[in-house]
Amino acid sequence: MIVILGCGESGMGAAMLAHKLSMPIFLSDYGRISQDFKSQLIDKEIDFEEEGHNLVYEFLPDFVIKSPGIPDQSEVIKYFDQKGIKIISEIEFAFQYCKGQIIAITGSNGKTTTTNLLYHIMKNSGCDVVKVGNLGYSFARSLAESSHDYYVVEVSSFQLDSTINFKPHIAILLNITPDHLDRYENNFEKYVFSKFSIAKNQTENDYLILYKDAVVMKYFSSMKINAQTLWIQSELDQEGKVFINGKARFNFNHTVLKGRHNAINVSCAATACEIIGLKDQEIQEGMYSFINDPHRLESITTINGVEFINDSKATNVDSVFWALDAMNSKIIWIAGGQDKGNDYTSIEDVVKNKVKTLVTLGKDNSKLIEFFGDYVPVIDTHDMKTAVHKSIEISERGDVILLSPACASFDLFNNYMHRGDEFRKEVLKIKSETRK
């Protein structure tokens, strides 16, 4: 039998695939299982427990499937590890039963946009493709429901940590910046090796696409890489042309894409498309019709010449750098939340050059105020309505009001999506009142 730990999308997807394969299952969740998922488990006659790992210790399974949110230091993981039970991720489990070609994307920033973009271009070009993984649709659930020629898989470091044989035909590593170090004993090198493990099982018949990120380049020589390696350098000129390794290839005009970071995402996605045989015209057409997920440099609306941009997904400093860098107007920057040990030094210059005023949003904004307060005007707020209204009060025609928090959302919101939704709601409420 198998034990599945955690009943989010990952654990539930693993349960659905295991059930399809007629495997005996016991699922255990430390918290409360959603009513929808509980109904599915009951319907499939899958045994489970919730609100604590209690009964799970009575089993000696063939292997354990661990949800990515469960740290290796947790009591239940240590227990099975000490028993010598193999512990794998849902990504690893699904891989064993996948007959399609896998294109996997990881990186500290940009992996969701790159996954969405690559999937959209392939789908738009007629490929039989599905997007799965860290962006919210379980790889295992997808396999339980249908089969496809291609699987575009977003993978986080947490998912990669519990893989053994996972091997994408094409792997993309976008960048590596400090993030989630609390899960890696505050050891950046452990996090780096986790990201590079996307390529650990690749052979000379596979491809590894690497952006020329400083950290990636620094550590590459110490990694054992067998795949065909494709290094990518990307530039974006003022006319919106995207250059890949020095050659003008694509155009951002008339697309929702903006900023140098999205030029990187496009360049890596386009390289993967070339490997599977797509032409530049097909890639450009996909870019024209692409609409990114909410909360990622999402342009909400314009009020009295002021544009409002929701970048609530920017929960680390590097993401904020690229958001600020992408703006061509003076910025009223809304930032703050639950600090993740941020070092703001890397964005100091771009803030000085582009930010007109910093509007802090969080329960405790002292770290942001202390770092930026000497050279940027700061307005301190503790709820979204106040943050939006104060931003509008000081805005002028041509400005951008940018929510790009650099912090986790859990001090005031359920998650980054809730934070972004609240921002959008307040902005659209004001626009509606303006029209009256």
Side-chain angles (χ1 to χ4, degrees):
M1 74 164 297
I2 65 170
V3 160
I4 299 173
L5 298 175
C7 194
E9 173 61 22
S10 175
M12 193 64 195
M16 293 299 103
L17 179 57
H19 178 268
K20 182 178 182 180
L21 297 168
S22 301
M23 294 178 173
I25 307 158
F26 184 77
L27 187 148
S28 175
D29 196 295
Y30 189 75
R32 183 172 293 180
I33 298 174
S34 73
Q35 191 57 52
D36 177 37
F37 283 177
K38 197 183 299 186
S39 297
Q40 292 180 51
L41 293 170
I42 294 169
D43 180 62
K44 302 290 186 184
E45 298 183 345
I46 296 172
D47 293 329
F48 67 91
E49 65 174 340
E50 61 179 330
E51 298 190 76
H53 299 305
N54 300 307
L55 299 176
V56 73
Y57 293 103
E58 298 177 11
F59 298 97
L60 200 64
D62 297 313
F63 60 93
V64 170
I65 300 174
K66 177 178 84 74
S67 293
I70 303 174
D72 291 340
Q73 295 76 25
S74 65
E75 180 183 333
V76 68
I77 295 297
K78 287 181 177 178
Y79 171 80
F80 284 114
D81 191 43
Q82 289 166 0
K83 292 286 184 181
I85 305 297
K86 182 169 68 174
I87 301 169
I88 63 173
S89 68
E90 172 256 334
I91 293 288
E92 173 72 14
F93 177 57
F95 169 74
Q96 301 172 57
Y97 303 97
C98 179
K99 293 182 172 62
Q101 198 171 106
I102 296 172
I103 306 173
I105 299 104
T106 197
S108 300
N109 298 294
K111 56 186 177 291
T112 300
T113 296
T114 305
T115 301
N116 284 333
L117 178 63
L118 177 55
Y119 163 78
H120 177 78
I121 293 170
M122 292 176 67
K123 188 77 173 176
N124 195 63
S125 301
C127 297
D128 176 24
V129 60
V130 65
K131 58 178 179 178
V132 297
N134 191 56
L135 45 59
Y137 180 37
S138 161
F139 189 9
R141 182 187 287 275
S142 173
L143 291 171
E145 294 174 347
S146 59
S147 60
H148 299 273
D149 293 338
Y150 295 98
Y151 292 82
V152 179
V153 189
E154 179 188 331
V155 284
S156 69
S157 57
F158 299 163
Q159 292 169 317
L160 289 169
D161 287 339
S162 300
T163 58
I164 301 170
N165 298 306
F166 177 69
K167 184 180 82 70
H169 178 52
I170 302 171
I172 299 174
L173 176 52
L174 294 164
N175 49 59
I176 306 176
T177 60
D179 201 7
H180 305 298
L181 296 189
D182 55 325
R183 285 281 290 264
Y184 295 93
E185 301 171 0
N186 289 313
N187 185 325
F188 182 53
E189 287 198 347
K190 288 186 177 182
Y191 176 62
V192 171
F193 276 83
S194 174
K195 287 295 187 186
F196 266 101
S197 68
I198 194 172
K200 67 183 178 183
N201 295 312
Q202 287 188 300
T203 70
E204 63 275 5
N205 297 318
D206 301 313
Y207 297 88
L208 174 61
I209 299 168
L210 299 162
Y211 182 69
K212 287 187 176 179
D213 169 77
V215 174
V216 173
M217 294 173 71
K218 175 183 176 181
Y219 284 94
F220 176 78
S221 60
S222 61
M223 303 294 168
K224 185 180 178 183
I225 303 294
N226 296 315
Q228 299 178 53
T229 305
L230 303 172
W231 285 98
I232 303 299
Q233 181 66 50
S234 177
E235 298 292 337
L236 179 66
D237 72 9
Q238 291 184 338
E239 296 178 354
K241 291 179 183 175
V242 178
F243 289 74
I244 304 177
N245 294 344
K247 182 181 178 182
R249 294 282 300 281
F250 304 106
N251 202 312
F252 270 10
N253 294 330
H254 310 297
T255 75
V256 299
L257 299 162
K258 60 176 70 177
R260 288 190 295 154
H261 66 301
N262 274 323
I264 295 168
N265 299 336
V266 163
S267 299
C268 292
T271 303
C273 288
E274 289 171 30
I275 293 171
I276 65 169
L278 299 187
K279 305 299 182 186
D280 279 9
Q281 182 179 348
E282 293 173 296
I283 298 169
Q284 183 70 71
E285 287 175 357
M287 289 169 58
Y288 285 140
S289 56
F290 174 66
I291 299 174
N292 203 1
D293 285 350
H295 318 297
R296 293 166 176 84
L297 286 182
E298 173 195 9
S299 181
I300 295 174
T301 191
T302 299
I303 302 174
N304 297 328
V306 177
E307 186 178 10
F308 293 80
I309 296 179
N310 169 21
D311 194 39
S312 183
K313 182 67 167 62
T315 59
N316 60 43
V317 175
D318 194 60
S319 295
V320 172
F321 172 84
W322 291 113
L324 296 174
D325 181 76
M327 300 299 116
N328 295 318
S329 306
K330 278 294 181 181
I331 303 164
I332 297 167
W333 174 36
I334 303 175
Q338 191 176 70
D339 185 79
K340 297 159 67 177
N342 290 347
D343 178 1
Y344 294 108
T345 307
S346 61
I347 62 171
E348 188 172 1
D349 288 341
V350 72
V351 170
K352 285 180 179 177
N353 292 330
K354 292 201 167 188
V355 173
K356 175 178 176 178
T357 302
L358 167 60
V359 177
T360 55
L361 171 63
K363 284 187 176 179
D364 180 4
N365 301 313
S366 56
K367 187 173 179 180
L368 276 164
I369 295 168
E370 182 178 346
F371 192 93
F372 294 108
D374 288 341
Y375 54 85
V376 175
V378 177
I379 298 174
D380 191 27
T381 72
H382 307 283
D383 63 86
M384 185 61 78
K385 181 176 181 178
T386 305
V388 171
H389 279 266
K390 291 292 184 183
S391 297
I392 291 173
E393 285 176 13
I394 60 170
S395 67
E396 299 175 306
R397 182 174 293 274
D399 288 347
V400 166
I401 295 176
L402 170 69
L403 171 67
S404 192
C407 299
S409 56
F410 305 117
D411 60 336
L412 294 176
F413 307 96
N414 298 333
N415 48 46
Y416 78 84
M417 295 172 284
H418 179 213
R419 176 170 59 192
D421 289 341
E422 289 299 302
F423 178 66
R424 186 190 303 106
K425 183 178 77 174
E426 291 297 337
V427 170
L428 294 180
K429 187 188 299 182
I430 291 167
K431 178 153 190 172
S432 175
E433 293 170 353
T434 304
R435 286 174 174 167
K436 292 178 180 177

